[in-house]
Amino acid sequence: MFLANRALCRVGRANSTRRLSTRASAILSSLDLATTEEIAGVYDGQWRGSGDIFSTVCPTTGETLARVRSASPKELHDTIARAREAYTFFRYIPAPRRGEILRQIREALAAKRNELGALVSLEMGKIRTEGEGEVQEFIDICDYGVGLSRMMNGNVVASERPGHSILEVPNPLGVVAVLSAFNFPIAVYGWNLALSLAAGNATIWKPSPTTPLCSIAVTKIVARVLKNNEIPGAVAGLVIGDKNVGAALAESRDIELVSFTGSEKVGRVVGKTVMSRFGKTILELGGNNASIVMADADLSLAVHSVFFGAVGTAGQRCTSTRRLYLHRNIASEFLERLQKLYADVKPGDPLVQGTLLGPLHSSAALQTYNNTIKHLRLIDAEILIGGYRYTEAPLDAGNFVQPTIAIPKSVNPEEQIWSTETFAPILNIAIFDDLDEVIGWNNAVPQGLSSSLWTRDIRNLGKWIGPGGSDTGIVNVNVGTSGAEIGAAFGGNKSTGWGRESGGDAWKQYVRWSACTINFSEHAPLAQGVHFIQAADSM
């Protein structure tokens, strides 16, 4: 099943041997990734890496896919220096020309869409259609950036002083560090790179150390486009490394903006570190997302959307549905339909078309799932379905778990089971009677990324999106919590970090703004009618 056609490649060094399945070898080879030697994980115009070796493991089969050489402290220092040097060149490239480079990156990514999607499935574990969809996000944001490169407009502000005009002018910001997470190993970088590049910045990408191959494959594609346009490779640099590399990037005064995607715990540290040197941050942290189903909802739509929201990507999206609030009048029918979908879903190789449930990404994620199930049993929650790891072959070789539906006895949103994000396919359910009551439950948790209301009553819609409604950054109606488009800004409120990426006005974070007052008159009056003239001056 998973290791069909198990012709194996032997990969040897003086003291190590690696065996790679043809399943994995074919995908790596299609993206110019070495299958018989260690892979360099640092790029700033040239490929190298002499730091620690990182092994990347397939979450489906448990096989080691590659050994990647990370950045040494000196290589990290040099990469930052080269990024600054590249920025001083790139900022003078006209924005429409930068847009043309983005267009070429878009074309290069589209030519490898299927191969990159397969690599996401292989290394991260999400199913094939989601892997390809993630690459499509990068392609789409490049399209957005191409148009944006001709539309990054400032403002002309009317001045109260005669013969004066005020301009609000955007200019390139500097160097942007992108610290991305394992669950979207390509798209999050794409959101940042497209806007950063359009704005005229240099970017350093520090991906999750558990998905280095995705970042290396993408960087190779981008680097070729930059080289063809005689642009320094350090405009889109890469450093593979552990948390110490991330910390060094956050601390560096040579980096104007740090965009971090990850946990609330680490995000709090990143935010404090960058703010201590008065740098800028974009934080996209935890998402403890809720769907609310009213009595008048179209259940056929809602059930399938909740199913995808909770089970898609094995519950490892920032926007995955973690909490489900059902109106008492439809709760029984809804749960019956939802449990049927859960019972019918079959785990399998995410590379096989038609698979809907792939593995968790890592053994750490597996432990998180087990700990949460243990806690649910400890608090005497009713587990309707799921709650166990798949242990039969060949699933036992990977990190496969049963999607779980649970009904905790308490609906207190301050309790751990409700207030803590669990990055796994576990859906907790509570029953409500009143919309105001459930909006309170929705808003009571620390996180504020995504939320969804299912209703056909326009009065419910108005309340939900209004000042007393959901306090999340994404507030949907008759759309699930998961699956955002690139045209609107993506991000959340409260402990989710208040950051915004992708569309909307997100680009304005990647530039520095100047208010420029221009006097083209023969006088120099002060604003607010202030007079500051010595008597002798008036003679």
PDB file of all heavy atoms in Angstrom, residues 13 38-42 48-56 66-76 209 212 216 239-245:
ATOM      1  N   ARG A  13      27.056   6.896   3.962  1.00  0.00           N
ATOM      2  CA  ARG A  13      28.170   7.747   4.323  1.00  0.00           C
ATOM      3  C   ARG A  13      29.112   6.843   5.122  1.00  0.00           C
ATOM      4  O   ARG A  13      28.869   5.657   5.282  1.00  0.00           O
ATOM      5  CB  ARG A  13      27.731   8.948   5.161  1.00  0.00           C
ATOM      6  CG  ARG A  13      26.784   9.886   4.431  1.00  0.00           C
ATOM      7  CD  ARG A  13      26.525  11.135   5.265  1.00  0.00           C
ATOM      8  NE  ARG A  13      27.715  11.989   5.270  1.00  0.00           N
ATOM      9  CZ  ARG A  13      27.956  12.889   6.209  1.00  0.00           C
ATOM     10  NH1 ARG A  13      27.129  13.023   7.219  1.00  0.00           N
ATOM     11  NH2 ARG A  13      29.042  13.636   6.144  1.00  0.00           N
ATOM     12  N   GLU A  38      23.505  14.116   1.494  1.00  0.00           N
ATOM     13  CA  GLU A  38      22.936  15.174   2.331  1.00  0.00           C
ATOM     14  C   GLU A  38      22.613  16.395   1.491  1.00  0.00           C
ATOM     15  O   GLU A  38      23.230  16.663   0.464  1.00  0.00           O
ATOM     16  CB  GLU A  38      23.911  15.533   3.451  1.00  0.00           C
ATOM     17  CG  GLU A  38      24.073  14.421   4.485  1.00  0.00           C
ATOM     18  CD  GLU A  38      25.137  14.734   5.517  1.00  0.00           C
ATOM     19  OE1 GLU A  38      25.864  15.724   5.338  1.00  0.00           O
ATOM     20  OE2 GLU A  38      25.239  13.985   6.503  1.00  0.00           O
ATOM     21  N   ILE A  39      21.614  17.155   1.954  1.00  0.00           N
ATOM     22  CA  ILE A  39      21.117  18.302   1.198  1.00  0.00           C
ATOM     23  C   ILE A  39      21.465  19.583   1.935  1.00  0.00           C
ATOM     24  O   ILE A  39      21.249  19.702   3.153  1.00  0.00           O
ATOM     25  CB  ILE A  39      19.591  18.193   1.000  1.00  0.00           C
ATOM     26  CG1 ILE A  39      19.249  16.921   0.210  1.00  0.00           C
ATOM     27  CG2 ILE A  39      19.040  19.425   0.291  1.00  0.00           C
ATOM     28  CD1 ILE A  39      17.758  16.669   0.071  1.00  0.00           C
ATOM     29  N   ALA A  40      21.989  20.551   1.211  1.00  0.00           N
ATOM     30  CA  ALA A  40      22.313  21.849   1.804  1.00  0.00           C
ATOM     31  C   ALA A  40      21.034  22.592   2.164  1.00  0.00           C
ATOM     32  O   ALA A  40      20.084  22.648   1.380  1.00  0.00           O
ATOM     33  CB  ALA A  40      23.147  22.681   0.828  1.00  0.00           C
ATOM     34  N   GLY A  41      21.026  23.202   3.364  1.00  0.00           N
ATOM     35  CA  GLY A  41      19.823  23.867   3.857  1.00  0.00           C
ATOM     36  C   GLY A  41      19.961  25.357   4.071  1.00  0.00           C
ATOM     37  O   GLY A  41      19.140  25.960   4.763  1.00  0.00           O
ATOM     38  N   VAL A  42      20.986  25.973   3.473  1.00  0.00           N
ATOM     39  CA  VAL A  42      21.197  27.415   3.586  1.00  0.00           C
ATOM     40  C   VAL A  42      21.358  27.989   2.187  1.00  0.00           C
ATOM     41  O   VAL A  42      22.122  27.447   1.375  1.00  0.00           O
ATOM     42  CB  VAL A  42      22.452  27.747   4.431  1.00  0.00           C
ATOM     43  CG1 VAL A  42      22.625  29.263   4.568  1.00  0.00           C
ATOM     44  CG2 VAL A  42      22.362  27.093   5.799  1.00  0.00           C
ATOM     45  N   ARG A  48      24.711  26.090   0.774  1.00  0.00           N
ATOM     46  CA  ARG A  48      25.695  25.517   1.682  1.00  0.00           C
ATOM     47  C   ARG A  48      24.991  25.089   2.968  1.00  0.00           C
ATOM     48  O   ARG A  48      23.781  25.075   3.032  1.00  0.00           O
ATOM     49  CB  ARG A  48      26.830  26.509   1.970  1.00  0.00           C
ATOM     50  CG  ARG A  48      26.391  27.791   2.655  1.00  0.00           C
ATOM     51  CD  ARG A  48      27.579  28.745   2.738  1.00  0.00           C
ATOM     52  NE  ARG A  48      27.288  29.928   3.529  1.00  0.00           N
ATOM     53  CZ  ARG A  48      26.574  30.954   3.124  1.00  0.00           C
ATOM     54  NH1 ARG A  48      26.039  30.940   1.921  1.00  0.00           N
ATOM     55  NH2 ARG A  48      26.379  32.000   3.911  1.00  0.00           N
ATOM     56  N   GLY A  49      25.745  24.792   3.993  1.00  0.00           N
ATOM     57  CA  GLY A  49      25.215  24.383   5.289  1.00  0.00           C
ATOM     58  C   GLY A  49      26.222  23.495   5.983  1.00  0.00           C
ATOM     59  O   GLY A  49      26.567  22.428   5.476  1.00  0.00           O
ATOM     60  N   SER A  50      26.691  23.945   7.143  1.00  0.00           N
ATOM     61  CA  SER A  50      27.673  23.163   7.888  1.00  0.00           C
ATOM     62  C   SER A  50      27.271  23.006   9.349  1.00  0.00           C
ATOM     63  O   SER A  50      28.083  22.625  10.172  1.00  0.00           O
ATOM     64  CB  SER A  50      29.059  23.828   7.803  1.00  0.00           C
ATOM     65  OG  SER A  50      29.021  25.138   8.352  1.00  0.00           O
ATOM     66  N   GLY A  51      26.001  23.306   9.645  1.00  0.00           N
ATOM     67  CA  GLY A  51      25.504  23.163  11.009  1.00  0.00           C
ATOM     68  C   GLY A  51      25.005  21.756  11.281  1.00  0.00           C
ATOM     69  O   GLY A  51      25.401  20.790  10.617  1.00  0.00           O
ATOM     70  N   ASP A  52      24.140  21.635  12.266  1.00  0.00           N
ATOM     71  CA  ASP A  52      23.592  20.335  12.640  1.00  0.00           C
ATOM     72  C   ASP A  52      22.847  19.693  11.477  1.00  0.00           C
ATOM     73  O   ASP A  52      22.291  20.379  10.614  1.00  0.00           O
ATOM     74  CB  ASP A  52      22.642  20.479  13.828  1.00  0.00           C
ATOM     75  CG  ASP A  52      23.370  20.898  15.104  1.00  0.00           C
ATOM     76  OD1 ASP A  52      24.589  20.676  15.171  1.00  0.00           O
ATOM     77  OD2 ASP A  52      22.712  21.444  16.005  1.00  0.00           O
ATOM     78  N   ILE A  53      22.807  18.365  11.486  1.00  0.00           N
ATOM     79  CA  ILE A  53      22.074  17.613  10.473  1.00  0.00           C
ATOM     80  C   ILE A  53      20.650  17.367  10.963  1.00  0.00           C
ATOM     81  O   ILE A  53      20.446  16.880  12.075  1.00  0.00           O
ATOM     82  CB  ILE A  53      22.754  16.271  10.167  1.00  0.00           C
ATOM     83  CG1 ILE A  53      24.187  16.497   9.697  1.00  0.00           C
ATOM     84  CG2 ILE A  53      21.954  15.487   9.127  1.00  0.00           C
ATOM     85  CD1 ILE A  53      24.314  17.230   8.395  1.00  0.00           C
ATOM     86  N   PHE A  54      19.666  17.717  10.127  1.00  0.00           N
ATOM     87  CA  PHE A  54      18.271  17.446  10.432  1.00  0.00           C
ATOM     88  C   PHE A  54      17.761  16.325   9.538  1.00  0.00           C
ATOM     89  O   PHE A  54      17.935  16.378   8.317  1.00  0.00           O
ATOM     90  CB  PHE A  54      17.414  18.697  10.215  1.00  0.00           C
ATOM     91  CG  PHE A  54      17.572  19.743  11.278  1.00  0.00           C
ATOM     92  CD1 PHE A  54      18.614  20.647  11.224  1.00  0.00           C
ATOM     93  CD2 PHE A  54      16.691  19.812  12.345  1.00  0.00           C
ATOM     94  CE1 PHE A  54      18.779  21.606  12.199  1.00  0.00           C
ATOM     95  CE2 PHE A  54      16.843  20.768  13.327  1.00  0.00           C
ATOM     96  CZ  PHE A  54      17.887  21.675  13.256  1.00  0.00           C
ATOM     97  N   SER A  55      17.157  15.327  10.147  1.00  0.00           N
ATOM     98  CA  SER A  55      16.518  14.258   9.374  1.00  0.00           C
ATOM     99  C   SER A  55      15.036  14.565   9.258  1.00  0.00           C
ATOM    100  O   SER A  55      14.373  14.861  10.251  1.00  0.00           O
ATOM    101  CB  SER A  55      16.716  12.904  10.062  1.00  0.00           C
ATOM    102  OG  SER A  55      18.070  12.531  10.045  1.00  0.00           O
ATOM    103  N   THR A  56      14.523  14.508   8.045  1.00  0.00           N
ATOM    104  CA  THR A  56      13.095  14.719   7.828  1.00  0.00           C
ATOM    105  C   THR A  56      12.435  13.365   7.597  1.00  0.00           C
ATOM    106  O   THR A  56      12.939  12.532   6.827  1.00  0.00           O
ATOM    107  CB  THR A  56      12.839  15.677   6.653  1.00  0.00           C
ATOM    108  OG1 THR A  56      11.420  15.797   6.442  1.00  0.00           O
ATOM    109  CG2 THR A  56      13.499  15.216   5.371  1.00  0.00           C
ATOM    110  N   ALA A  66      15.307  12.429   4.056  1.00  0.00           N
ATOM    111  CA  ALA A  66      16.555  13.103   3.714  1.00  0.00           C
ATOM    112  C   ALA A  66      17.246  13.569   4.980  1.00  0.00           C
ATOM    113  O   ALA A  66      16.641  13.648   6.057  1.00  0.00           O
ATOM    114  CB  ALA A  66      16.298  14.286   2.782  1.00  0.00           C
ATOM    115  N   ARG A  67      18.517  13.893   4.821  1.00  0.00           N
ATOM    116  CA  ARG A  67      19.310  14.511   5.880  1.00  0.00           C
ATOM    117  C   ARG A  67      19.746  15.871   5.365  1.00  0.00           C
ATOM    118  O   ARG A  67      20.373  15.971   4.310  1.00  0.00           O
ATOM    119  CB  ARG A  67      20.512  13.625   6.229  1.00  0.00           C
ATOM    120  CG  ARG A  67      20.119  12.341   6.956  1.00  0.00           C
ATOM    121  CD  ARG A  67      21.232  11.300   6.921  1.00  0.00           C
ATOM    122  NE  ARG A  67      22.499  11.815   7.442  1.00  0.00           N
ATOM    123  CZ  ARG A  67      22.819  11.841   8.744  1.00  0.00           C
ATOM    124  NH1 ARG A  67      21.958  11.388   9.651  1.00  0.00           N
ATOM    125  NH2 ARG A  67      23.990  12.301   9.142  1.00  0.00           N
ATOM    126  N   VAL A  68      19.387  16.907   6.110  1.00  0.00           N
ATOM    127  CA  VAL A  68      19.583  18.284   5.652  1.00  0.00           C
ATOM    128  C   VAL A  68      20.597  18.986   6.549  1.00  0.00           C
ATOM    129  O   VAL A  68      20.494  18.941   7.779  1.00  0.00           O
ATOM    130  CB  VAL A  68      18.241  19.047   5.660  1.00  0.00           C
ATOM    131  CG1 VAL A  68      18.441  20.497   5.246  1.00  0.00           C
ATOM    132  CG2 VAL A  68      17.235  18.363   4.733  1.00  0.00           C
ATOM    133  N   ARG A  69      21.553  19.665   5.909  1.00  0.00           N
ATOM    134  CA  ARG A  69      22.581  20.402   6.645  1.00  0.00           C
ATOM    135  C   ARG A  69      22.062  21.802   6.973  1.00  0.00           C
ATOM    136  O   ARG A  69      21.764  22.595   6.073  1.00  0.00           O
ATOM    137  CB  ARG A  69      23.874  20.480   5.832  1.00  0.00           C
ATOM    138  CG  ARG A  69      24.447  19.118   5.469  1.00  0.00           C
ATOM    139  CD  ARG A  69      25.889  19.232   4.967  1.00  0.00           C
ATOM    140  NE  ARG A  69      26.027  20.165   3.856  1.00  0.00           N
ATOM    141  CZ  ARG A  69      25.897  19.841   2.574  1.00  0.00           C
ATOM    142  NH1 ARG A  69      25.601  18.583   2.248  1.00  0.00           N
ATOM    143  NH2 ARG A  69      26.058  20.736   1.635  1.00  0.00           N
ATOM    144  N   SER A  70      21.967  22.123   8.237  1.00  0.00           N
ATOM    145  CA  SER A  70      21.401  23.397   8.677  1.00  0.00           C
ATOM    146  C   SER A  70      22.465  24.491   8.713  1.00  0.00           C
ATOM    147  O   SER A  70      23.638  24.267   8.390  1.00  0.00           O
ATOM    148  CB  SER A  70      20.779  23.226  10.061  1.00  0.00           C
ATOM    149  OG  SER A  70      21.774  22.985  11.032  1.00  0.00           O
ATOM    150  N   ALA A  71      22.050  25.680   9.139  1.00  0.00           N
ATOM    151  CA  ALA A  71      22.947  26.834   9.185  1.00  0.00           C
ATOM    152  C   ALA A  71      23.785  26.830  10.454  1.00  0.00           C
ATOM    153  O   ALA A  71      23.260  26.653  11.557  1.00  0.00           O
ATOM    154  CB  ALA A  71      22.133  28.122   9.110  1.00  0.00           C
ATOM    155  N   SER A  72      25.075  27.040  10.297  1.00  0.00           N
ATOM    156  CA  SER A  72      25.940  27.292  11.443  1.00  0.00           C
ATOM    157  C   SER A  72      25.732  28.740  11.884  1.00  0.00           C
ATOM    158  O   SER A  72      25.165  29.550  11.133  1.00  0.00           O
ATOM    159  CB  SER A  72      27.399  27.081  11.063  1.00  0.00           C
ATOM    160  OG  SER A  72      27.813  28.089  10.151  1.00  0.00           O
ATOM    161  N   PRO A  73      26.160  29.110  13.092  1.00  0.00           N
ATOM    162  CA  PRO A  73      26.025  30.509  13.515  1.00  0.00           C
ATOM    163  C   PRO A  73      26.648  31.494  12.533  1.00  0.00           C
ATOM    164  O   PRO A  73      26.074  32.549  12.245  1.00  0.00           O
ATOM    165  CB  PRO A  73      26.731  30.518  14.878  1.00  0.00           C
ATOM    166  CG  PRO A  73      26.539  29.134  15.396  1.00  0.00           C
ATOM    167  CD  PRO A  73      26.638  28.253  14.199  1.00  0.00           C
ATOM    168  N   LYS A  74      27.822  31.176  12.002  1.00  0.00           N
ATOM    169  CA  LYS A  74      28.463  32.079  11.045  1.00  0.00           C
ATOM    170  C   LYS A  74      27.661  32.170   9.756  1.00  0.00           C
ATOM    171  O   LYS A  74      27.497  33.264   9.176  1.00  0.00           O
ATOM    172  CB  LYS A  74      29.878  31.600  10.729  1.00  0.00           C
ATOM    173  CG  LYS A  74      30.627  32.553   9.782  1.00  0.00           C
ATOM    174  CD  LYS A  74      32.023  32.049   9.460  1.00  0.00           C
ATOM    175  CE  LYS A  74      32.783  33.076   8.609  1.00  0.00           C
ATOM    176  NZ  LYS A  74      32.061  33.443   7.376  1.00  0.00           N
ATOM    177  N   GLU A  75      27.130  31.030   9.290  1.00  0.00           N
ATOM    178  CA  GLU A  75      26.335  31.049   8.055  1.00  0.00           C
ATOM    179  C   GLU A  75      25.059  31.853   8.245  1.00  0.00           C
ATOM    180  O   GLU A  75      24.627  32.563   7.326  1.00  0.00           O
ATOM    181  CB  GLU A  75      26.020  29.623   7.618  1.00  0.00           C
ATOM    182  CG  GLU A  75      27.234  28.899   7.045  1.00  0.00           C
ATOM    183  CD  GLU A  75      27.053  27.410   6.943  1.00  0.00           C
ATOM    184  OE1 GLU A  75      26.152  26.857   7.620  1.00  0.00           O
ATOM    185  OE2 GLU A  75      27.825  26.784   6.189  1.00  0.00           O
ATOM    186  N   LEU A  76      24.462  31.774   9.412  1.00  0.00           N
ATOM    187  CA  LEU A  76      23.277  32.588   9.684  1.00  0.00           C
ATOM    188  C   LEU A  76      23.639  34.070   9.651  1.00  0.00           C
ATOM    189  O   LEU A  76      22.932  34.884   9.040  1.00  0.00           O
ATOM    190  CB  LEU A  76      22.684  32.213  11.040  1.00  0.00           C
ATOM    191  CG  LEU A  76      21.508  33.078  11.517  1.00  0.00           C
ATOM    192  CD1 LEU A  76      20.355  33.025  10.534  1.00  0.00           C
ATOM    193  CD2 LEU A  76      21.064  32.641  12.906  1.00  0.00           C
ATOM    194  N   PRO A 209      11.758  22.966  11.140  1.00  0.00           N
ATOM    195  CA  PRO A 209      12.827  21.993  10.892  1.00  0.00           C
ATOM    196  C   PRO A 209      12.308  20.609  10.516  1.00  0.00           C
ATOM    197  O   PRO A 209      13.097  19.757  10.093  1.00  0.00           O
ATOM    198  CB  PRO A 209      13.590  21.953  12.221  1.00  0.00           C
ATOM    199  CG  PRO A 209      12.621  22.431  13.249  1.00  0.00           C
ATOM    200  CD  PRO A 209      11.750  23.424  12.548  1.00  0.00           C
ATOM    201  N   PRO A 212      11.848  20.621   5.975  1.00  0.00           N
ATOM    202  CA  PRO A 212      12.872  21.373   5.235  1.00  0.00           C
ATOM    203  C   PRO A 212      12.818  21.160   3.731  1.00  0.00           C
ATOM    204  O   PRO A 212      13.179  22.059   2.963  1.00  0.00           O
ATOM    205  CB  PRO A 212      14.178  20.849   5.819  1.00  0.00           C
ATOM    206  CG  PRO A 212      13.854  19.458   6.273  1.00  0.00           C
ATOM    207  CD  PRO A 212      12.448  19.543   6.788  1.00  0.00           C
ATOM    208  N   ILE A 216      13.245  23.940   0.692  1.00  0.00           N
ATOM    209  CA  ILE A 216      14.382  23.871  -0.224  1.00  0.00           C
ATOM    210  C   ILE A 216      13.895  23.799  -1.673  1.00  0.00           C
ATOM    211  O   ILE A 216      14.427  24.482  -2.561  1.00  0.00           O
ATOM    212  CB  ILE A 216      15.276  22.668   0.124  1.00  0.00           C
ATOM    213  CG1 ILE A 216      15.951  22.901   1.484  1.00  0.00           C
ATOM    214  CG2 ILE A 216      16.321  22.434  -0.960  1.00  0.00           C
ATOM    215  CD1 ILE A 216      16.644  21.671   2.049  1.00  0.00           C
ATOM    216  N   VAL A 239      17.245  29.693   5.598  1.00  0.00           N
ATOM    217  CA  VAL A 239      18.096  29.103   6.638  1.00  0.00           C
ATOM    218  C   VAL A 239      17.315  28.001   7.352  1.00  0.00           C
ATOM    219  O   VAL A 239      16.295  28.253   7.980  1.00  0.00           O
ATOM    220  CB  VAL A 239      18.600  30.141   7.673  1.00  0.00           C
ATOM    221  CG1 VAL A 239      19.681  31.007   7.083  1.00  0.00           C
ATOM    222  CG2 VAL A 239      17.459  31.009   8.202  1.00  0.00           C
ATOM    223  N   ILE A 240      17.776  26.780   7.217  1.00  0.00           N
ATOM    224  CA  ILE A 240      17.217  25.673   7.986  1.00  0.00           C
ATOM    225  C   ILE A 240      17.897  25.675   9.353  1.00  0.00           C
ATOM    226  O   ILE A 240      19.113  25.828   9.456  1.00  0.00           O
ATOM    227  CB  ILE A 240      17.461  24.329   7.289  1.00  0.00           C
ATOM    228  CG1 ILE A 240      16.865  24.333   5.872  1.00  0.00           C
ATOM    229  CG2 ILE A 240      16.885  23.176   8.117  1.00  0.00           C
ATOM    230  CD1 ILE A 240      15.381  24.494   5.806  1.00  0.00           C
ATOM    231  N   GLY A 241      17.113  25.508  10.413  1.00  0.00           N
ATOM    232  CA  GLY A 241      17.713  25.485  11.737  1.00  0.00           C
ATOM    233  C   GLY A 241      16.685  25.244  12.816  1.00  0.00           C
ATOM    234  O   GLY A 241      15.481  25.129  12.549  1.00  0.00           O
ATOM    235  N   ASP A 242      17.152  25.181  14.047  1.00  0.00           N
ATOM    236  CA  ASP A 242      16.283  24.926  15.186  1.00  0.00           C
ATOM    237  C   ASP A 242      15.811  26.239  15.803  1.00  0.00           C
ATOM    238  O   ASP A 242      15.940  27.310  15.201  1.00  0.00           O
ATOM    239  CB  ASP A 242      16.999  24.050  16.218  1.00  0.00           C
ATOM    240  CG  ASP A 242      18.268  24.705  16.759  1.00  0.00           C
ATOM    241  OD1 ASP A 242      18.486  25.913  16.527  1.00  0.00           O
ATOM    242  OD2 ASP A 242      19.051  23.994  17.433  1.00  0.00           O
ATOM    243  N   LYS A 243      15.303  26.164  17.045  1.00  0.00           N
ATOM    244  CA  LYS A 243      14.755  27.350  17.690  1.00  0.00           C
ATOM    245  C   LYS A 243      15.818  28.413  17.933  1.00  0.00           C
ATOM    246  O   LYS A 243      15.487  29.607  18.026  1.00  0.00           O
ATOM    247  CB  LYS A 243      14.076  26.965  19.004  1.00  0.00           C
ATOM    248  CG  LYS A 243      15.015  26.360  20.045  1.00  0.00           C
ATOM    249  CD  LYS A 243      14.254  25.970  21.301  1.00  0.00           C
ATOM    250  CE  LYS A 243      15.193  25.369  22.351  1.00  0.00           C
ATOM    251  NZ  LYS A 243      14.443  24.973  23.579  1.00  0.00           N
ATOM    252  N   ASN A 244      17.078  28.026  18.022  1.00  0.00           N
ATOM    253  CA  ASN A 244      18.143  29.002  18.219  1.00  0.00           C
ATOM    254  C   ASN A 244      18.310  29.895  16.995  1.00  0.00           C
ATOM    255  O   ASN A 244      18.611  31.090  17.128  1.00  0.00           O
ATOM    256  CB  ASN A 244      19.459  28.291  18.535  1.00  0.00           C
ATOM    257  CG  ASN A 244      19.418  27.565  19.869  1.00  0.00           C
ATOM    258  OD1 ASN A 244      18.843  28.052  20.829  1.00  0.00           O
ATOM    259  ND2 ASN A 244      19.996  26.378  19.907  1.00  0.00           N
ATOM    260  N   VAL A 245      18.108  29.337  15.820  1.00  0.00           N
ATOM    261  CA  VAL A 245      18.151  30.134  14.599  1.00  0.00           C
ATOM    262  C   VAL A 245      16.979  31.104  14.578  1.00  0.00           C
ATOM    263  O   VAL A 245      17.131  32.290  14.250  1.00  0.00           O
ATOM    264  CB  VAL A 245      18.137  29.226  13.354  1.00  0.00           C
ATOM    265  CG1 VAL A 245      17.949  30.051  12.081  1.00  0.00           C
ATOM    266  CG2 VAL A 245      19.428  28.421  13.276  1.00  0.00           C
TER     267      VAL A 245
END
